[in-house]
Amino acid sequence: MKYNCIVAQSGGPTAAINASLAGVCQGVIDSDMYDTILGSVNGIQGVINKKFLNLSELAAKDADFITKLKATPAMFLGSCRYRLPDYNKDNKIYEDIFKTFEENNIGAMFYIGGNDSMDTVDKLSAYAASIGSDIKIAGIPKTIDNDLVKTDHTPGFGSACKYLATSIREIAYDTFIYALPSVTIIEVMGRDAGWLTAASALARNDFSPAPHLIYLPELPFSTEKFIEDIKQVQKKYSNIIVAVSEGIKDENGEYISSTTAAADKFGHAQLSGTGKCLENLVKEKLGLKVRSIELNVLQRCAGHISSLTDLNESFELGKKAVSLTAEGKSGFMTTINRISDSPYQTTLSYAPVCEIANLAKDVPTEWISPDGNDVTEDMINYLKPLIQGEIENTFNDGVIEYLDISHLFHEI
Amino acid sequence: MKYNCIVAQSGGPTAAINASLAGVCQGVIDSDMYDTILGSVNGIQGVINKKFLNLSELAAKDADFITKLKATPAMFLGSCRYRLPDYNKDNKIYEDIFKTFEENNIGAMFYIGGNDSMDTVDKLSAYAASIGSDIKIAGIPKTIDNDLVKTDHTPGFGSACKYLATSIREIAYDTFIYALPSVTIIEVMGRDAGWLTAASALARNDFSPAPHLIYLPELPFSTEKFIEDIKQVQKKYSNIIVAVSEGIKDENGEYISSTTAAADKFGHAQLSGTGKCLENLVKEKLGLKVRSIELNVLQRCAGHISSLTDLNESFELGKKAVSLTAEGKSGFMTTINRISDSPYQTTLSYAPVCEIANLAKDVPTEWISPDGNDVTEDMINYLKPLIQGEIENTFNDGVIEYLDISHLFHEI
């Protein structure tokens, strides 16, 4: 007898998370063990609320469904930010979830997300083991933050890097036109890890050194040193571009950002305004023409400039998760191992999700320049393969066209 | 004897201003009357400082120069924001400029810019007439604001619209994933004219009504009405997208953005943008999850998503200016006349620059919905042809590649 599967997405969107979903769909279609793939709408909450989309049906109806899904950014199944309780203290919700699994003849559940989402995979697979259930629970990584451990990099990161590098190069062109000295501060997403901010270095080319300065959250940020750094760069360049992580902190661990950081559901600080804060500082200390630019959510949803390498890897990680559960594995996250930077070679593997959930991978300090205001060549060699290749966009009436996601519109 | 020409660019950048420059170069190359085309670096200031690039030489050295130039955003020749004095009061600078023209055997000067730049064209051509000079002075329009009179629309506007529509659609995908009700406010460039903000309507498609609300600066903005509008949309949609011009003003003509100020970490008052201001308002009045996004300079420099229609028209307007000066005309700006929306048909023409300089064209109120929170079908029919067609981008090592502009790096 064949089993059905459930797949869900959780956390913040990326340009590649639907590519992993497409990979899971393809994996199930190709599998001898699995029959229907159900999409749980809004993460694990879709299982709890029994809100499913029949993805097998959608794929059967539209021969291009999987191809279109692969190139659609954000989350076709919607997201949630829901944390399961400890099942030793409160197992009611687990009983409900596994009852729904049974009712739907579920053999495996795939959860695509970041380190918070891997906590859900960890708890569900541990609970399954505790009750002797044979249902497999698998994690598939995604996050533009690239901060998951046990994998060389994460799906969605490469596309965010490609958007960032292209946008910063274009902002540099915009900036260089004026004879007047100026500073442009670009605030990049990444609360605690500076991976994405580091990728701003990819905007440089033979003639343009922009961004001239790069600050990651892994090292304490000194406003005095920052002003000194700008003065140094000013000796050579008139229009200066600075890339800075939204999460930079001072030597006491306080966020530089001007607004009071409120905590989100998981206890993470919600930041905004780091660039604005530095803009005001430069204005006050140097009296220069200065502008700050917050690249905001487009870093994670600008699907029209996705990295082909990223989408392909994300797809394969989804497929791999299906084949691993079919082999009987559970409680893992699929991973990418890098063999070499150039030529870029990788293999796909997996690691126990309990060694991944709730952990974060910082940028190693040896990949930050000794001065703390740039990244090293090793970092650039690591990043460069991840942004290679472009996708073919579909435009309709002049605007980018993606899969219909109106099933996510929520009734009031 | 053949004459040489000068071309310069002025004002803020667009994705299409280099396409007009490429058109001027092509026009001069094709012309029997003109020989060398000199690029004045940093607008009219390049003429004053005798800082020229020999564009004929660059085009001769690289067969792809004009094609690459056409697709490079911002300004290959750099910009300036320089206003010539009234020559009746102070003609010294005019004497210097025309001496430089004579020294370089200049027959025509082409100035690509917005309504401020057309003031320079107006003054130089009037001065030429006053001294009996035969040197022709021509204007070529550009501005993402689309606020020049006497032309159906302006080069650069269509590309900005295309970027805006695609970005808002992608932001909508990012927003729709959450089950939690939310408001996302997108602040669009355009201080006084709402043309670009109106183009946010192009992000809509068969299933997505985002942006649900659109506010232009042509009508007074009421914060009370805004909150009521959101409440109305909330009856039907959970995740609401609002597009708002940076330049909206209250009924007293005060910018909405000037009404709030917060203190940053360093204790300084921080002027918020319009979007941030409305974000705080929604948070306070409705207690909803709310985010504001300032699309910033990428609206005018995101060359990778230029409108092919826009680049082609911009190129032709540059060529047209050359042929008009060769016919003996001066003191004009090239213009686009629309014959029909669908099929989209236009002719190129020209108008006296004295009827254009320093004037601005607002959005007609009949193209704003009676409720003041949307645009009409007529507006959409006007906008749609301008974003049609895509360009072929060149990527190098995963990042968009444009012409080398290091000649704009300014010595300190």
Side-chain angles (χ1 to χ4, degrees):
Chain A
M1 191 192 74
K2 281 191 173 186
Y3 291 103
N4 299 321
C5 302
I6 287 177
V7 60
Q9 300 170 310
S10 168
T14 79
I17 187 165
N18 284 334
S20 290
L21 177 62
V24 170
C25 291
Q26 191 61 58
V28 170
I29 289 167
D30 296 347
S31 149
D32 295 327
M33 172 161 302
Y34 301 123
D35 188 7
T36 298
I37 173 88
L38 296 174
S40 166
V41 176
N42 291 120
I44 187 68
Q45 289 185 305
V47 181
I48 295 165
N49 305 326
K50 303 189 184 186
K51 195 170 172 192
F52 298 111
L53 277 185
N54 189 324
L55 298 172
S56 300
E57 239 174 60
L58 291 175
K61 263 195 266 178
D62 177 1
D64 292 331
F65 174 74
I66 287 179
T67 310
K68 288 186 211 159
L69 183 58
K70 195 179 161 189
T72 295
M75 288 146 122
F76 186 70
L77 296 174
S79 182
C80 72
R81 293 208 183 262
Y82 181 85
R83 206 173 174 84
L84 284 170
D86 180 344
Y87 65 82
N88 290 312
K89 290 179 187 158
D90 175 9
N91 70 355
K92 170 74 176 68
I93 203 151
Y94 291 87
E95 286 174 6
D96 289 349
I97 289 170
F98 277 74
K99 202 176 149 214
T100 301
F101 285 167
E102 253 172 63
E103 285 167 6
N104 289 283
N105 186 33
I106 299 302
M109 167 154 175
F110 305 95
Y111 213 56
I112 317 173
N115 43 18
D116 289 330
S117 310
M118 290 311 136
D119 179 79
T120 301
V121 176
D122 189 27
K123 283 172 173 161
L124 288 176
S125 56
Y127 178 80
S130 79
I131 61 165
S133 163
D134 203 35
I135 296 171
K136 311 291 182 283
I137 315 286
I140 299 158
K142 77 84 213 168
T143 168
I144 64 161
D145 293 338
N146 196 39
D147 62 350
L148 294 184
V149 299
K150 303 278 173 188
T151 184
D152 178 74
H153 57 278
T154 59
F157 175 60
S159 292
C161 292
K162 192 179 184 86
Y163 172 81
L164 183 71
T166 287
S167 296
I168 291 183
R169 185 169 292 177
E170 291 178 334
I171 291 169
Y173 271 71
D174 188 277
T175 300
F176 292 152
I177 66 164
Y178 294 110
L180 199 69
S182 69
V183 177
T184 302
I185 298 160
I186 299 170
E187 181 184 322
V188 183
M189 276 184 160
R191 219 165 352 206
D192 299 311
W195 294 104
L196 188 56
T197 307
S200 64
L202 299 174
R204 294 174 186 154
N205 65 8
D206 287 349
F207 66 86
S208 167
H212 303 81
L213 296 165
I214 300 174
Y215 299 97
L216 310 189
E218 278 81 359
L219 291 186
F221 183 87
S222 154
T223 51
E224 292 76 23
K225 169 77 165 46
F226 171 61
I227 294 297
E228 274 315 304
D229 286 350
I230 289 180
K231 284 183 184 167
Q232 282 303 315
V233 178
Q234 270 203 306
K235 292 181 181 168
K236 212 171 156 197
Y237 297 101
S238 179
N239 302 109
I240 303 174
I241 308 257
V242 180
V244 61
S245 159
E246 61 176 343
I248 50 165
K249 302 180 197 81
D250 65 17
E251 56 277 19
N252 302 318
E254 295 279 322
Y255 285 114
I256 298 294
S257 55
S258 52
T259 52
T260 319
D264 72 8
K265 265 193 158 167
F266 295 98
H268 302 141
Q270 289 284 15
L271 298 180
S272 69
T274 302
K276 199 74 186 169
C277 179
L278 297 182
E279 176 188 321
N280 292 336
L281 186 75
V282 170
K283 209 177 285 168
E284 187 203 320
K285 299 283 181 192
L286 299 172
L288 283 172
K289 183 185 162 195
V290 55
R291 182 197 289 273
S292 64
I293 298 174
E294 198 185 333
L295 288 178
N296 221 305
V297 298
L298 282 161
Q299 290 163 88
R300 64 188 194 189
C301 64
H304 74 276
I305 195 156
S306 293
S307 154
L308 185 62
T309 298
D310 184 26
L311 294 199
N312 286 342
E313 287 179 343
S314 304
F315 185 82
E316 293 302 326
L317 284 168
K319 271 181 71 180
K320 178 83 179 175
V322 178
S323 63
L324 286 167
T325 58
E327 288 167 20
K329 299 196 172 56
S330 185
F332 64 87
M333 183 187 84
T334 48
T335 59
I336 301 169
N337 304 320
R338 187 181 304 218
I339 297 164
S340 69
D341 292 335
S342 176
Y344 178 57
Q345 288 183 307
T346 58
T347 57
L348 300 188
S349 186
Y350 63 99
V353 76
C354 58
E355 296 175 13
I356 296 165
N358 306 313
L359 296 172
K361 182 172 71 180
D362 284 351
V363 170
T365 43
E366 60 268 28
W367 282 7
I368 305 173
S369 69
D371 247 11
N373 58 22
D374 205 343
V375 296
T376 65
E377 204 54 35
D378 281 345
M379 172 61 102
I380 290 170
N381 293 337
Y382 165 80
L383 294 168
K384 208 170 255 185
L386 310 183
I387 64 164
Q388 300 305 314
E390 289 75 48
I391 60 164
E392 269 182 52
N393 290 311
T394 306
F395 284 84
N396 186 3
D397 234 356
V399 187
I400 195 90
E401 188 76 4
Y402 298 123
L403 267 186
D404 185 337
I405 52 159
S406 53
H407 54 271
L408 293 180
F409 294 174
H410 302 286
E411 299 82 29
I412 310 297
Chain B
M1 190 193 74
K2 281 191 172 187
Y3 292 103
N4 299 321
C5 301
I6 286 177
V7 59
Q9 300 170 311
S10 168
T14 79
I17 186 165
N18 285 333
S20 290
L21 178 61
V24 170
C25 290
Q26 190 62 57
V28 170
I29 289 167
D30 296 347
S31 151
D32 295 329
M33 171 161 303
Y34 301 123
D35 188 7
T36 298
I37 173 88
L38 296 174
S40 167
V41 177
N42 291 119
I44 188 68
Q45 289 186 306
V47 181
I48 295 165
N49 304 325
K50 303 188 184 186
K51 196 170 170 191
F52 298 111
L53 276 185
N54 189 323
L55 297 173
S56 300
E57 238 174 60
L58 291 176
K61 261 195 270 181
D62 177 1
D64 293 330
F65 174 75
I66 287 179
T67 311
K68 288 186 211 159
L69 183 59
K70 194 178 161 189
T72 294
M75 288 147 121
F76 186 70
L77 296 174
S79 182
C80 73
R81 294 215 182 257
Y82 181 85
R83 206 172 175 84
L84 283 170
D86 180 345
Y87 66 81
N88 289 313
K89 291 178 187 158
D90 176 7
N91 72 355
K92 170 74 176 69
I93 204 152
Y94 290 87
E95 287 175 6
D96 289 349
I97 289 170
F98 277 74
K99 203 176 147 214
T100 301
F101 285 166
E102 252 172 65
E103 284 166 6
N104 290 282
N105 186 33
I106 299 303
M109 169 154 173
F110 305 96
Y111 214 56
I112 317 172
N115 43 18
D116 288 333
S117 310
M118 290 311 136
D119 179 78
T120 300
V121 176
D122 190 27
K123 283 172 174 163
L124 287 176
S125 56
Y127 178 79
S130 79
I131 61 167
S133 162
D134 203 35
I135 296 171
K136 309 291 182 282
I137 314 286
I140 299 157
K142 76 87 211 162
T143 169
I144 63 161
D145 292 338
N146 196 40
D147 61 351
L148 293 184
V149 299
K150 302 277 173 189
T151 184
D152 177 74
H153 57 278
T154 59
F157 175 61
S159 293
C161 292
K162 193 180 183 85
Y163 172 81
L164 184 71
T166 287
S167 296
I168 292 183
R169 186 169 291 177
E170 291 178 334
I171 291 169
Y173 271 70
D174 187 277
T175 300
F176 292 151
I177 68 164
Y178 295 110
L180 199 68
S182 70
V183 177
T184 301
I185 298 159
I186 299 169
E187 181 183 322
V188 183
M189 275 183 160
R191 273 249 138 206
D192 299 312
W195 295 103
L196 188 56
T197 307
S200 65
L202 300 174
R204 295 174 184 153
N205 64 9
D206 288 348
F207 65 87
S208 168
H212 304 80
L213 296 165
I214 300 174
Y215 298 97
L216 311 189
E218 278 81 359
L219 292 186
F221 183 87
S222 153
T223 51
E224 291 76 24
K225 169 77 164 47
F226 171 62
I227 294 297
E228 275 314 305
D229 286 350
I230 290 181
K231 284 183 185 168
Q232 282 303 315
V233 178
Q234 270 203 307
K235 291 180 182 168
K236 210 171 156 197
Y237 297 101
S238 179
N239 302 110
I240 302 174
I241 308 258
V242 180
V244 61
S245 158
E246 60 177 344
I248 50 166
K249 302 180 197 81
D250 65 18
E251 57 275 24
N252 302 318
E254 294 279 322
Y255 284 115
I256 296 295
S257 56
S258 65
T259 55
T260 53
D264 70 9
K265 203 178 169 171
F266 302 101
H268 306 123
Q270 192 178 316
L271 271 184
S272 303
T274 302
K276 200 75 187 167
C277 177
L278 297 183
E279 176 188 322
N280 292 335
L281 185 75
V282 170
K283 208 176 285 169
E284 187 200 320
K285 301 281 181 194
L286 299 172
L288 283 172
K289 182 184 163 196
V290 55
R291 180 198 290 274
S292 65
I293 298 175
E294 198 185 331
L295 287 178
N296 221 306
V297 298
L298 282 161
Q299 289 163 89
R300 64 189 195 189
C301 64
H304 73 276
I305 196 156
S306 293
S307 154
L308 184 63
T309 299
D310 184 26
L311 295 199
N312 286 343
E313 288 179 341
S314 304
F315 184 83
E316 292 303 328
L317 284 169
K319 270 179 72 179
K320 177 83 178 173
V322 177
S323 63
L324 286 167
T325 59
E327 289 169 18
K329 299 198 171 54
S330 185
F332 65 86
M333 183 188 84
T334 49
T335 59
I336 301 170
N337 304 320
R338 186 181 304 219
I339 298 163
S340 69
D341 292 336
S342 177
Y344 178 57
Q345 288 183 309
T346 58
T347 56
L348 299 189
S349 186
Y350 63 99
V353 76
C354 59
E355 296 175 13
I356 297 166
N358 307 313
L359 296 172
K361 182 174 70 180
D362 284 351
V363 171
T365 42
E366 60 268 28
W367 282 7
I368 304 173
S369 68
D371 247 11
N373 58 20
D374 204 344
V375 296
T376 65
E377 204 54 35
D378 281 344
M379 171 62 101
I380 291 171
N381 293 337
Y382 165 80
L383 293 168
K384 209 171 255 186
L386 311 182
I387 64 164
Q388 300 305 313
E390 290 75 47
I391 60 165
E392 269 182 53
N393 290 310
T394 307
F395 284 83
N396 187 3
D397 233 357
V399 188
I400 194 90
E401 188 77 5
Y402 298 123
L403 268 187
D404 186 337
I405 51 159
S406 54
H407 55 270
L408 293 180
F409 294 174
H410 302 285
E411 297 84 28
I412 310 297

